[in-house]
Amino acid sequence: AQSVAQPEDQVNVAEGNPLTVKCTYSVSGNPYLFWYVQYPNRGLQFLLKYITGDNLVKGSYGFEAEFNKSQTSFHLKKPSALVSDSALYFCAVRPGSARQLTFGSGTQLTVLP
Amino acid sequence: GAGVSQSPSNKVTEKGKDVELRCDPISGHTALYWYRQRLGQGLEFLIYFQGNSAPDKSGLPSDRFSAERTGESVSTLTIQRTQQEDSAVYLCASSGTGGGNYGYTFGSGTRLTVV
């Protein structure tokens, strides 16, 4: 069965600094990887995905993520954080054979002004 | 519609009562998913519908939970004899024929509180 680990419940970063939100996964076969963001009292919004191709994928709001097969990781990054990036971030994975996503437990990102 | 619509947005019910949650997916989306998000926790898969195929019910936590979907339209999630541990946000998502390749579109959820 597939699983996703987000080892940090909380990440704090100063505005303007780079940010990283970590994600590792376990899945049979080639993984399909996703990042979602959840703002307070709102549903999850799709940020970016890795299906195949370049290991570095770019998504919404200046976020990017790097797929690392040897380390089974898919860390979310942004070169310069904004206060408005403060939200709950979820990593998700599915094997090619399945349709439903398995989500991590989420990481609360707080960007300090 | 333009997005995934869920109703009600909030529901408070007494322990032991039945509740019905509704999800209206994006028009043309063949796949529909229900997830549960308990306070401070990640998303827990409940059930998945794909067109007219038999649904994947592998995530339903007990036989008190059931869901229906007619064709590619509205879905309802029913919880019978609610318990306090059922309190959570219930999220619905839909996706197109590419399935999860293009990510899901989530609704804003129904916050269920069992008192």
Side-chain angles (χ1 to χ4, degrees), chain B residues 5-32:
Chain B
S5 178
Q6 290 188 246
S7 61
S9 55
N10 281 283
K11 176 71 176 179
V12 179
T13 190
E14 292 180 353
K15 178 181 173 181
K17 295 284 182 69
D18 297 353
V19 295
E20 191 171 277
L21 313 180
R22 176 187 170 102
C23 173
D24 197 347
I26 290 175
S27 178
H29 275 192
T30 57
L32 186 147

Side-chain angles (χ1 to χ4, degrees), chain A residues 32 34 36 38 41-46 49 51 88 90 94 99-106, chain B residues 33 35 37 41-43 45 48 50 56 58 91 96 99-104 106-108 111:
Chain A
Y32 292 12
F34 301 80
Y36 287 82
Q38 186 177 36
N41 299 315
R42 296 178 64 178
L44 276 72
Q45 297 178 31
F46 170 78
K49 68 180 188 294
I51 304 298
L88 187 57
F90 288 97
R94 74 173 182 96
R99 297 298 292 273
Q100 65 269 32
L101 295 176
T102 298
F103 286 81
S105 56
Chain B
Y33 312 80
Y35 284 80
Q37 185 179 22
Q41 298 186 25
L43 276 71
F45 168 73
Y48 155 60
Q50 173 63 53
D56 178 350
S58 60
L91 291 166
N101 287 10
Y102 302 100
Y104 300 168
F106 279 88
S108 298
R111 182 176 299 276

Side-chain angles (χ1 to χ4, degrees), chain A residues 9 17 26 36 45 61 68 76 105:
Chain A
D9 292 336
N17 283 1
S26 173
Y36 287 82
Q45 297 178 31
Y61 312 120
N68 188 316
L76 182 70
S105 56

Side-chain angles (χ1 to χ4, degrees), chain A residues 1-49:
Chain A
Q2 59 267 24
S3 64
V4 179
Q6 292 182 243
E8 301 156 317
D9 292 336
Q10 175 84 38
V11 169
N12 296 328
V13 64
E15 187 175 29
N17 283 1
L19 69 87
T20 299
V21 182
K22 296 180 180 177
C23 171
T24 59
Y25 65 89
S26 173
V27 69
S28 301
N30 294 323
Y32 292 12
L33 294 153
F34 301 80
W35 276 100
Y36 287 82
V37 59
Q38 186 177 36
Y39 297 101
N41 299 315
R42 296 178 64 178
L44 276 72
Q45 297 178 31
F46 170 78
L47 269 183
L48 52 78
K49 68 180 188 294

Side-chain angles (χ1 to χ4, degrees), chain B residues 47-69:
Chain B
I47 188 168
Y48 155 60
F49 295 90
Q50 173 63 53
N52 293 317
S53 302
D56 178 350
K57 303 180 180 180
S58 60
L60 294 179
S62 78
D63 60 6
R64 296 187 296 104
F65 287 73
S66 63
E68 299 289 334
R69 187 186 188 199

